[in-house]
Amino acid sequence: MQGTRLDTARIRAARRVIDPVFLDTPLYRCEALEPGLGCAVSVKLETANPIRSFKARGSEVVVSRLIADGARAAVCASAGNLGQALAWSGRDRGVEVTVVASRYATAAKLERIRALGARLELVDGDHERARERAAAIARRDGIRLVEDSLDIETCEGAATIGLELVDAEPPFDAVLVALGGGALATGVGHVVKAVAPETEVICVQPLGAPAMTLSWRRRSVVTTETADTIADGVAGRYPIPAVLEDLLRVADDAVLVQEASIVAGMRMLLDHAGLVVEPSAALGIAAILEDRDRFAGRHVATVLCGGNVDLDAYHRWVGAA
């Protein structure tokens, strides 16, 4: 795909440094979902790995390059999943990892970061405050700041999901991808448009955290004062200009969905597929629920990008049904 920061040859090479436990995740048509959605639906299950998220595909590439450069420490800001991924990738390779997160982040994600051996620092405020603190630590200690979506390794690691999607037969009519910082959307989108350009790439974001979608629509960076959504994994407020430029080249559409639709998607995945997913992973299903006519008669794939949930919150959202 011309015009993005990503490179298909590097993406294929990334598969060689990613632990196989994170590769070739289940991809299957989930017929039990289809009566309620009105279209054929395949799910790409990125929860079936040790950190229950796609993020380790990128962190594996990051850490492999850190080691190649002789670096042994890194810091990142995270809503939870990137922190777990970087901690996992660094743990057995002798890379000391510091994760900065909002103290209001999902408790289960924070506990897992600690369990994986990373140093965890909590800040007041949201993810953007965590990004500022992580950058300050990197400057103070002279260590690598890992910035999700800005660092090309995170995008090209995520793009290996795209390689697995385009190998499917027959090809999909559309691929629905959660949109937050943009690593997943630009990575998958780059590969899909390079290999199967007729497949529509649709990015999905919560209405309560719309910064990247608004930026895509306006073709310039739009920031928001707040982010109010249960989908904490995609709740950024300050899009990165370089990532937006990539997104503009690979995304056919970017849509916003309501919180009620996200919850309904989570409930459908539990009731009809036996899958417990975090809100960000249900965005694709939410998009279909809100626009059934658009997808009627088509075969759609959606990436279930994470399954790290606070159980009490999950039961409040889904358990009443």
Side-chain angles (χ1 to χ4, degrees), residues 103-137:
R103 67 179 67 257
Y104 308 111
T106 301
K109 295 180 181 181
L110 299 181
E111 291 168 7
R112 188 61 182 154
I113 290 169
R114 292 189 183 98
L116 288 167
R119 174 178 173 268
L120 179 64
E121 180 173 324
L122 301 179
V123 298
D124 293 317
D126 64 7
H127 181 66
E128 302 307 333
R129 300 288 82 78
R131 287 173 64 180
E132 293 171 2
R133 177 56 183 161
I137 292 171

PDB file of all heavy atoms in Angstrom, residues 103-137:
ATOM      1  N   ARG A 103      -5.142   5.964  37.327  1.00  0.00           N
ATOM      2  CA  ARG A 103      -5.581   5.174  38.473  1.00  0.00           C
ATOM      3  C   ARG A 103      -7.037   4.727  38.327  1.00  0.00           C
ATOM      4  O   ARG A 103      -7.517   3.881  39.086  1.00  0.00           O
ATOM      5  CB  ARG A 103      -5.369   5.929  39.774  1.00  0.00           C
ATOM      6  CG  ARG A 103      -6.201   7.153  39.992  1.00  0.00           C
ATOM      7  CD  ARG A 103      -5.899   7.797  41.351  1.00  0.00           C
ATOM      8  NE  ARG A 103      -4.555   8.349  41.403  1.00  0.00           N
ATOM      9  CZ  ARG A 103      -3.528   7.774  42.013  1.00  0.00           C
ATOM     10  NH1 ARG A 103      -3.694   6.615  42.637  1.00  0.00           N
ATOM     11  NH2 ARG A 103      -2.339   8.338  42.017  1.00  0.00           N
ATOM     12  N   TYR A 104      -7.734   5.274  37.337  1.00  0.00           N
ATOM     13  CA  TYR A 104      -9.119   4.889  37.094  1.00  0.00           C
ATOM     14  C   TYR A 104      -9.240   3.815  36.009  1.00  0.00           C
ATOM     15  O   TYR A 104     -10.347   3.458  35.611  1.00  0.00           O
ATOM     16  CB  TYR A 104      -9.926   6.119  36.687  1.00  0.00           C
ATOM     17  CG  TYR A 104      -9.765   7.268  37.668  1.00  0.00           C
ATOM     18  CD1 TYR A 104      -9.088   8.423  37.301  1.00  0.00           C
ATOM     19  CD2 TYR A 104     -10.253   7.163  38.966  1.00  0.00           C
ATOM     20  CE1 TYR A 104      -8.914   9.464  38.200  1.00  0.00           C
ATOM     21  CE2 TYR A 104     -10.082   8.200  39.879  1.00  0.00           C
ATOM     22  CZ  TYR A 104      -9.410   9.350  39.488  1.00  0.00           C
ATOM     23  OH  TYR A 104      -9.236  10.368  40.389  1.00  0.00           O
ATOM     24  N   ALA A 105      -8.124   3.315  35.529  1.00  0.00           N
ATOM     25  CA  ALA A 105      -8.146   2.255  34.519  1.00  0.00           C
ATOM     26  C   ALA A 105      -8.748   0.979  35.100  1.00  0.00           C
ATOM     27  O   ALA A 105      -8.857   0.816  36.321  1.00  0.00           O
ATOM     28  CB  ALA A 105      -6.731   1.995  34.006  1.00  0.00           C
ATOM     29  N   THR A 106      -9.126   0.067  34.217  1.00  0.00           N
ATOM     30  CA  THR A 106      -9.738  -1.191  34.644  1.00  0.00           C
ATOM     31  C   THR A 106      -8.824  -1.933  35.617  1.00  0.00           C
ATOM     32  O   THR A 106      -7.663  -2.223  35.296  1.00  0.00           O
ATOM     33  CB  THR A 106     -10.019  -2.073  33.422  1.00  0.00           C
ATOM     34  OG1 THR A 106     -10.901  -1.366  32.535  1.00  0.00           O
ATOM     35  CG2 THR A 106     -10.659  -3.387  33.821  1.00  0.00           C
ATOM     36  N   ALA A 107      -9.341  -2.233  36.802  1.00  0.00           N
ATOM     37  CA  ALA A 107      -8.523  -2.830  37.861  1.00  0.00           C
ATOM     38  C   ALA A 107      -7.896  -4.148  37.431  1.00  0.00           C
ATOM     39  O   ALA A 107      -6.733  -4.425  37.756  1.00  0.00           O
ATOM     40  CB  ALA A 107      -9.373  -3.023  39.113  1.00  0.00           C
ATOM     41  N   ALA A 108      -8.636  -4.956  36.702  1.00  0.00           N
ATOM     42  CA  ALA A 108      -8.107  -6.254  36.287  1.00  0.00           C
ATOM     43  C   ALA A 108      -6.886  -6.093  35.389  1.00  0.00           C
ATOM     44  O   ALA A 108      -5.937  -6.885  35.458  1.00  0.00           O
ATOM     45  CB  ALA A 108      -9.191  -7.060  35.566  1.00  0.00           C
ATOM     46  N   LYS A 109      -6.896  -5.072  34.540  1.00  0.00           N
ATOM     47  CA  LYS A 109      -5.753  -4.827  33.665  1.00  0.00           C
ATOM     48  C   LYS A 109      -4.545  -4.379  34.477  1.00  0.00           C
ATOM     49  O   LYS A 109      -3.405  -4.815  34.227  1.00  0.00           O
ATOM     50  CB  LYS A 109      -6.106  -3.788  32.606  1.00  0.00           C
ATOM     51  CG  LYS A 109      -7.188  -4.233  31.635  1.00  0.00           C
ATOM     52  CD  LYS A 109      -7.487  -3.150  30.601  1.00  0.00           C
ATOM     53  CE  LYS A 109      -8.580  -3.595  29.642  1.00  0.00           C
ATOM     54  NZ  LYS A 109      -8.879  -2.578  28.610  1.00  0.00           N
ATOM     55  N   LEU A 110      -4.768  -3.511  35.459  1.00  0.00           N
ATOM     56  CA  LEU A 110      -3.662  -3.032  36.284  1.00  0.00           C
ATOM     57  C   LEU A 110      -3.056  -4.167  37.107  1.00  0.00           C
ATOM     58  O   LEU A 110      -1.822  -4.267  37.229  1.00  0.00           O
ATOM     59  CB  LEU A 110      -4.153  -1.916  37.206  1.00  0.00           C
ATOM     60  CG  LEU A 110      -4.716  -0.670  36.518  1.00  0.00           C
ATOM     61  CD1 LEU A 110      -5.149   0.357  37.563  1.00  0.00           C
ATOM     62  CD2 LEU A 110      -3.706  -0.059  35.555  1.00  0.00           C
ATOM     63  N   GLU A 111      -3.890  -5.018  37.641  1.00  0.00           N
ATOM     64  CA  GLU A 111      -3.391  -6.150  38.423  1.00  0.00           C
ATOM     65  C   GLU A 111      -2.539  -7.074  37.564  1.00  0.00           C
ATOM     66  O   GLU A 111      -1.509  -7.601  38.013  1.00  0.00           O
ATOM     67  CB  GLU A 111      -4.567  -6.925  39.026  1.00  0.00           C
ATOM     68  CG  GLU A 111      -5.308  -6.160  40.117  1.00  0.00           C
ATOM     69  CD  GLU A 111      -6.613  -6.809  40.500  1.00  0.00           C
ATOM     70  OE1 GLU A 111      -6.889  -7.939  40.013  1.00  0.00           O
ATOM     71  OE2 GLU A 111      -7.375  -6.207  41.276  1.00  0.00           O
ATOM     72  N   ARG A 112      -2.953  -7.257  36.332  1.00  0.00           N
ATOM     73  CA  ARG A 112      -2.203  -8.151  35.449  1.00  0.00           C
ATOM     74  C   ARG A 112      -0.860  -7.549  35.053  1.00  0.00           C
ATOM     75  O   ARG A 112       0.134  -8.264  34.916  1.00  0.00           O
ATOM     76  CB  ARG A 112      -3.044  -8.453  34.199  1.00  0.00           C
ATOM     77  CG  ARG A 112      -2.448  -9.518  33.306  1.00  0.00           C
ATOM     78  CD  ARG A 112      -2.307 -10.834  34.037  1.00  0.00           C
ATOM     79  NE  ARG A 112      -1.694 -11.843  33.172  1.00  0.00           N
ATOM     80  CZ  ARG A 112      -1.000 -12.879  33.621  1.00  0.00           C
ATOM     81  NH1 ARG A 112      -0.837 -13.044  34.923  1.00  0.00           N
ATOM     82  NH2 ARG A 112      -0.490 -13.748  32.782  1.00  0.00           N
ATOM     83  N   ILE A 113      -0.810  -6.227  34.882  1.00  0.00           N
ATOM     84  CA  ILE A 113       0.466  -5.577  34.585  1.00  0.00           C
ATOM     85  C   ILE A 113       1.450  -5.836  35.715  1.00  0.00           C
ATOM     86  O   ILE A 113       2.616  -6.185  35.485  1.00  0.00           O
ATOM     87  CB  ILE A 113       0.256  -4.065  34.369  1.00  0.00           C
ATOM     88  CG1 ILE A 113      -0.488  -3.812  33.050  1.00  0.00           C
ATOM     89  CG2 ILE A 113       1.597  -3.320  34.362  1.00  0.00           C
ATOM     90  CD1 ILE A 113      -0.973  -2.383  32.890  1.00  0.00           C
ATOM     91  N   ARG A 114       0.993  -5.669  36.948  1.00  0.00           N
ATOM     92  CA  ARG A 114       1.860  -5.945  38.106  1.00  0.00           C
ATOM     93  C   ARG A 114       2.288  -7.407  38.122  1.00  0.00           C
ATOM     94  O   ARG A 114       3.457  -7.725  38.379  1.00  0.00           O
ATOM     95  CB  ARG A 114       1.130  -5.606  39.398  1.00  0.00           C
ATOM     96  CG  ARG A 114       0.863  -4.120  39.618  1.00  0.00           C
ATOM     97  CD  ARG A 114       0.337  -3.887  41.026  1.00  0.00           C
ATOM     98  NE  ARG A 114      -0.009  -2.491  41.264  1.00  0.00           N
ATOM     99  CZ  ARG A 114      -1.244  -2.011  41.179  1.00  0.00           C
ATOM    100  NH1 ARG A 114      -2.254  -2.817  40.845  1.00  0.00           N
ATOM    101  NH2 ARG A 114      -1.487  -0.734  41.417  1.00  0.00           N
ATOM    102  N   ALA A 115       1.358  -8.302  37.870  1.00  0.00           N
ATOM    103  CA  ALA A 115       1.661  -9.727  37.916  1.00  0.00           C
ATOM    104  C   ALA A 115       2.702 -10.131  36.883  1.00  0.00           C
ATOM    105  O   ALA A 115       3.458 -11.088  37.084  1.00  0.00           O
ATOM    106  CB  ALA A 115       0.377 -10.540  37.707  1.00  0.00           C
ATOM    107  N   LEU A 116       2.762  -9.398  35.778  1.00  0.00           N
ATOM    108  CA  LEU A 116       3.736  -9.700  34.730  1.00  0.00           C
ATOM    109  C   LEU A 116       5.101  -9.066  34.982  1.00  0.00           C
ATOM    110  O   LEU A 116       6.005  -9.180  34.166  1.00  0.00           O
ATOM    111  CB  LEU A 116       3.187  -9.224  33.377  1.00  0.00           C
ATOM    112  CG  LEU A 116       2.037 -10.064  32.818  1.00  0.00           C
ATOM    113  CD1 LEU A 116       1.349  -9.345  31.669  1.00  0.00           C
ATOM    114  CD2 LEU A 116       2.536 -11.432  32.366  1.00  0.00           C
ATOM    115  N   GLY A 117       5.249  -8.406  36.144  1.00  0.00           N
ATOM    116  CA  GLY A 117       6.565  -7.950  36.557  1.00  0.00           C
ATOM    117  C   GLY A 117       6.949  -6.541  36.168  1.00  0.00           C
ATOM    118  O   GLY A 117       8.094  -6.119  36.405  1.00  0.00           O
ATOM    119  N   ALA A 118       6.027  -5.790  35.589  1.00  0.00           N
ATOM    120  CA  ALA A 118       6.342  -4.406  35.221  1.00  0.00           C
ATOM    121  C   ALA A 118       6.206  -3.495  36.435  1.00  0.00           C
ATOM    122  O   ALA A 118       5.457  -3.781  37.375  1.00  0.00           O
ATOM    123  CB  ALA A 118       5.418  -3.928  34.110  1.00  0.00           C
ATOM    124  N   ARG A 119       6.942  -2.388  36.403  1.00  0.00           N
ATOM    125  CA  ARG A 119       6.742  -1.331  37.389  1.00  0.00           C
ATOM    126  C   ARG A 119       5.555  -0.509  36.920  1.00  0.00           C
ATOM    127  O   ARG A 119       5.518  -0.040  35.783  1.00  0.00           O
ATOM    128  CB  ARG A 119       7.986  -0.450  37.480  1.00  0.00           C
ATOM    129  CG  ARG A 119       7.827   0.772  38.380  1.00  0.00           C
ATOM    130  CD  ARG A 119       9.117   1.578  38.458  1.00  0.00           C
ATOM    131  NE  ARG A 119       8.900   2.828  39.176  1.00  0.00           N
ATOM    132  CZ  ARG A 119       8.567   3.975  38.612  1.00  0.00           C
ATOM    133  NH1 ARG A 119       8.419   4.045  37.284  1.00  0.00           N
ATOM    134  NH2 ARG A 119       8.386   5.058  39.335  1.00  0.00           N
ATOM    135  N   LEU A 120       4.569  -0.323  37.800  1.00  0.00           N
ATOM    136  CA  LEU A 120       3.343   0.378  37.437  1.00  0.00           C
ATOM    137  C   LEU A 120       3.253   1.681  38.208  1.00  0.00           C
ATOM    138  O   LEU A 120       3.335   1.691  39.439  1.00  0.00           O
ATOM    139  CB  LEU A 120       2.125  -0.491  37.724  1.00  0.00           C
ATOM    140  CG  LEU A 120       0.755   0.121  37.422  1.00  0.00           C
ATOM    141  CD1 LEU A 120       0.598   0.405  35.941  1.00  0.00           C
ATOM    142  CD2 LEU A 120      -0.362  -0.807  37.909  1.00  0.00           C
ATOM    143  N   GLU A 121       3.092   2.783  37.488  1.00  0.00           N
ATOM    144  CA  GLU A 121       2.887   4.087  38.102  1.00  0.00           C
ATOM    145  C   GLU A 121       1.524   4.602  37.698  1.00  0.00           C
ATOM    146  O   GLU A 121       1.196   4.622  36.505  1.00  0.00           O
ATOM    147  CB  GLU A 121       3.974   5.071  37.669  1.00  0.00           C
ATOM    148  CG  GLU A 121       3.809   6.453  38.292  1.00  0.00           C
ATOM    149  CD  GLU A 121       4.962   7.388  38.000  1.00  0.00           C
ATOM    150  OE1 GLU A 121       6.114   6.917  37.942  1.00  0.00           O
ATOM    151  OE2 GLU A 121       4.705   8.604  37.823  1.00  0.00           O
ATOM    152  N   LEU A 122       0.744   5.021  38.686  1.00  0.00           N
ATOM    153  CA  LEU A 122      -0.607   5.507  38.428  1.00  0.00           C
ATOM    154  C   LEU A 122      -0.653   7.024  38.544  1.00  0.00           C
ATOM    155  O   LEU A 122       0.017   7.615  39.398  1.00  0.00           O
ATOM    156  CB  LEU A 122      -1.600   4.881  39.414  1.00  0.00           C
ATOM    157  CG  LEU A 122      -1.678   3.349  39.392  1.00  0.00           C
ATOM    158  CD1 LEU A 122      -2.680   2.869  40.431  1.00  0.00           C
ATOM    159  CD2 LEU A 122      -2.040   2.842  38.007  1.00  0.00           C
ATOM    160  N   VAL A 123      -1.452   7.645  37.679  1.00  0.00           N
ATOM    161  CA  VAL A 123      -1.599   9.098  37.682  1.00  0.00           C
ATOM    162  C   VAL A 123      -3.067   9.455  37.792  1.00  0.00           C
ATOM    163  O   VAL A 123      -3.947   8.680  37.421  1.00  0.00           O
ATOM    164  CB  VAL A 123      -1.003   9.724  36.403  1.00  0.00           C
ATOM    165  CG1 VAL A 123       0.484   9.448  36.302  1.00  0.00           C
ATOM    166  CG2 VAL A 123      -1.739   9.241  35.152  1.00  0.00           C
ATOM    167  N   ASP A 124      -3.321  10.633  38.318  1.00  0.00           N
ATOM    168  CA  ASP A 124      -4.683  11.161  38.295  1.00  0.00           C
ATOM    169  C   ASP A 124      -4.994  11.618  36.872  1.00  0.00           C
ATOM    170  O   ASP A 124      -4.111  12.025  36.129  1.00  0.00           O
ATOM    171  CB  ASP A 124      -4.815  12.329  39.265  1.00  0.00           C
ATOM    172  CG  ASP A 124      -4.679  11.893  40.717  1.00  0.00           C
ATOM    173  OD1 ASP A 124      -5.257  10.846  41.069  1.00  0.00           O
ATOM    174  OD2 ASP A 124      -3.989  12.593  41.486  1.00  0.00           O
ATOM    175  N   GLY A 125      -6.262  11.572  36.517  1.00  0.00           N
ATOM    176  CA  GLY A 125      -6.633  11.994  35.172  1.00  0.00           C
ATOM    177  C   GLY A 125      -6.758  10.814  34.231  1.00  0.00           C
ATOM    178  O   GLY A 125      -6.748   9.655  34.643  1.00  0.00           O
ATOM    179  N   ASP A 126      -6.838  11.111  32.927  1.00  0.00           N
ATOM    180  CA  ASP A 126      -7.105  10.077  31.937  1.00  0.00           C
ATOM    181  C   ASP A 126      -5.833   9.627  31.231  1.00  0.00           C
ATOM    182  O   ASP A 126      -4.709   9.919  31.670  1.00  0.00           O
ATOM    183  CB  ASP A 126      -8.150  10.559  30.929  1.00  0.00           C
ATOM    184  CG  ASP A 126      -7.668  11.762  30.102  1.00  0.00           C
ATOM    185  OD1 ASP A 126      -6.482  12.141  30.213  1.00  0.00           O
ATOM    186  OD2 ASP A 126      -8.489  12.315  29.336  1.00  0.00           O
ATOM    187  N   HIS A 127      -6.012   8.928  30.124  1.00  0.00           N
ATOM    188  CA  HIS A 127      -4.878   8.355  29.405  1.00  0.00           C
ATOM    189  C   HIS A 127      -3.917   9.426  28.890  1.00  0.00           C
ATOM    190  O   HIS A 127      -2.712   9.192  28.811  1.00  0.00           O
ATOM    191  CB  HIS A 127      -5.390   7.502  28.242  1.00  0.00           C
ATOM    192  CG  HIS A 127      -4.305   6.837  27.452  1.00  0.00           C
ATOM    193  ND1 HIS A 127      -3.483   5.866  27.980  1.00  0.00           N
ATOM    194  CD2 HIS A 127      -3.896   7.022  26.168  1.00  0.00           C
ATOM    195  CE1 HIS A 127      -2.619   5.481  27.064  1.00  0.00           C
ATOM    196  NE2 HIS A 127      -2.841   6.166  25.955  1.00  0.00           N
ATOM    197  N   GLU A 128      -4.432  10.592  28.556  1.00  0.00           N
ATOM    198  CA  GLU A 128      -3.548  11.638  28.044  1.00  0.00           C
ATOM    199  C   GLU A 128      -2.585  12.123  29.126  1.00  0.00           C
ATOM    200  O   GLU A 128      -1.426  12.446  28.837  1.00  0.00           O
ATOM    201  CB  GLU A 128      -4.377  12.804  27.491  1.00  0.00           C
ATOM    202  CG  GLU A 128      -5.350  12.418  26.389  1.00  0.00           C
ATOM    203  CD  GLU A 128      -4.701  11.672  25.234  1.00  0.00           C
ATOM    204  OE1 GLU A 128      -3.489  11.876  24.989  1.00  0.00           O
ATOM    205  OE2 GLU A 128      -5.400  10.880  24.576  1.00  0.00           O
ATOM    206  N   ARG A 129      -3.039  12.146  30.370  1.00  0.00           N
ATOM    207  CA  ARG A 129      -2.125  12.503  31.466  1.00  0.00           C
ATOM    208  C   ARG A 129      -1.070  11.416  31.642  1.00  0.00           C
ATOM    209  O   ARG A 129       0.092  11.698  31.959  1.00  0.00           O
ATOM    210  CB  ARG A 129      -2.912  12.672  32.768  1.00  0.00           C
ATOM    211  CG  ARG A 129      -3.976  13.733  32.754  1.00  0.00           C
ATOM    212  CD  ARG A 129      -3.384  15.142  32.755  1.00  0.00           C
ATOM    213  NE  ARG A 129      -2.979  15.596  31.433  1.00  0.00           N
ATOM    214  CZ  ARG A 129      -3.819  16.050  30.499  1.00  0.00           C
ATOM    215  NH1 ARG A 129      -5.118  16.094  30.733  1.00  0.00           N
ATOM    216  NH2 ARG A 129      -3.373  16.465  29.335  1.00  0.00           N
ATOM    217  N   ALA A 130      -1.470  10.158  31.438  1.00  0.00           N
ATOM    218  CA  ALA A 130      -0.507   9.066  31.521  1.00  0.00           C
ATOM    219  C   ALA A 130       0.550   9.180  30.431  1.00  0.00           C
ATOM    220  O   ALA A 130       1.744   8.915  30.670  1.00  0.00           O
ATOM    221  CB  ALA A 130      -1.234   7.722  31.439  1.00  0.00           C
ATOM    222  N   ARG A 131       0.153   9.592  29.234  1.00  0.00           N
ATOM    223  CA  ARG A 131       1.108   9.780  28.139  1.00  0.00           C
ATOM    224  C   ARG A 131       2.133  10.855  28.493  1.00  0.00           C
ATOM    225  O   ARG A 131       3.329  10.710  28.225  1.00  0.00           O
ATOM    226  CB  ARG A 131       0.371  10.158  26.852  1.00  0.00           C
ATOM    227  CG  ARG A 131      -0.396   9.011  26.214  1.00  0.00           C
ATOM    228  CD  ARG A 131      -1.247   9.464  25.052  1.00  0.00           C
ATOM    229  NE  ARG A 131      -0.472   9.982  23.930  1.00  0.00           N
ATOM    230  CZ  ARG A 131      -1.020  10.439  22.811  1.00  0.00           C
ATOM    231  NH1 ARG A 131      -2.330  10.457  22.684  1.00  0.00           N
ATOM    232  NH2 ARG A 131      -0.254  10.874  21.829  1.00  0.00           N
ATOM    233  N   GLU A 132       1.681  11.922  29.097  1.00  0.00           N
ATOM    234  CA  GLU A 132       2.598  12.996  29.480  1.00  0.00           C
ATOM    235  C   GLU A 132       3.604  12.509  30.509  1.00  0.00           C
ATOM    236  O   GLU A 132       4.807  12.820  30.427  1.00  0.00           O
ATOM    237  CB  GLU A 132       1.803  14.180  30.035  1.00  0.00           C
ATOM    238  CG  GLU A 132       0.930  14.879  29.003  1.00  0.00           C
ATOM    239  CD  GLU A 132       0.002  15.900  29.624  1.00  0.00           C
ATOM    240  OE1 GLU A 132       0.070  16.084  30.874  1.00  0.00           O
ATOM    241  OE2 GLU A 132      -0.797  16.507  28.883  1.00  0.00           O
ATOM    242  N   ARG A 133       3.156  11.756  31.496  1.00  0.00           N
ATOM    243  CA  ARG A 133       4.050  11.256  32.542  1.00  0.00           C
ATOM    244  C   ARG A 133       5.037  10.237  31.980  1.00  0.00           C
ATOM    245  O   ARG A 133       6.226  10.244  32.328  1.00  0.00           O
ATOM    246  CB  ARG A 133       3.231  10.626  33.673  1.00  0.00           C
ATOM    247  CG  ARG A 133       4.057  10.014  34.790  1.00  0.00           C
ATOM    248  CD  ARG A 133       5.016  11.012  35.409  1.00  0.00           C
ATOM    249  NE  ARG A 133       5.830  10.370  36.433  1.00  0.00           N
ATOM    250  CZ  ARG A 133       6.984  10.854  36.888  1.00  0.00           C
ATOM    251  NH1 ARG A 133       7.449  12.007  36.402  1.00  0.00           N
ATOM    252  NH2 ARG A 133       7.657  10.203  37.810  1.00  0.00           N
ATOM    253  N   ALA A 134       4.579   9.363  31.087  1.00  0.00           N
ATOM    254  CA  ALA A 134       5.485   8.380  30.485  1.00  0.00           C
ATOM    255  C   ALA A 134       6.586   9.081  29.702  1.00  0.00           C
ATOM    256  O   ALA A 134       7.764   8.680  29.753  1.00  0.00           O
ATOM    257  CB  ALA A 134       4.705   7.433  29.582  1.00  0.00           C
ATOM    258  N   ALA A 135       6.243  10.133  28.980  1.00  0.00           N
ATOM    259  CA  ALA A 135       7.243  10.886  28.218  1.00  0.00           C
ATOM    260  C   ALA A 135       8.254  11.531  29.168  1.00  0.00           C
ATOM    261  O   ALA A 135       9.466  11.576  28.876  1.00  0.00           O
ATOM    262  CB  ALA A 135       6.563  11.944  27.363  1.00  0.00           C
ATOM    263  N   ALA A 136       7.789  12.038  30.312  1.00  0.00           N
ATOM    264  CA  ALA A 136       8.694  12.649  31.282  1.00  0.00           C
ATOM    265  C   ALA A 136       9.659  11.619  31.859  1.00  0.00           C
ATOM    266  O   ALA A 136      10.860  11.904  32.050  1.00  0.00           O
ATOM    267  CB  ALA A 136       7.888  13.306  32.403  1.00  0.00           C
ATOM    268  N   ILE A 137       9.168  10.422  32.141  1.00  0.00           N
ATOM    269  CA  ILE A 137      10.032   9.357  32.650  1.00  0.00           C
ATOM    270  C   ILE A 137      11.090   8.983  31.623  1.00  0.00           C
ATOM    271  O   ILE A 137      12.266   8.785  31.951  1.00  0.00           O
ATOM    272  CB  ILE A 137       9.187   8.131  33.048  1.00  0.00           C
ATOM    273  CG1 ILE A 137       8.325   8.448  34.272  1.00  0.00           C
ATOM    274  CG2 ILE A 137      10.081   6.911  33.313  1.00  0.00           C
ATOM    275  CD1 ILE A 137       7.313   7.368  34.602  1.00  0.00           C
TER     276      ILE A 137
END
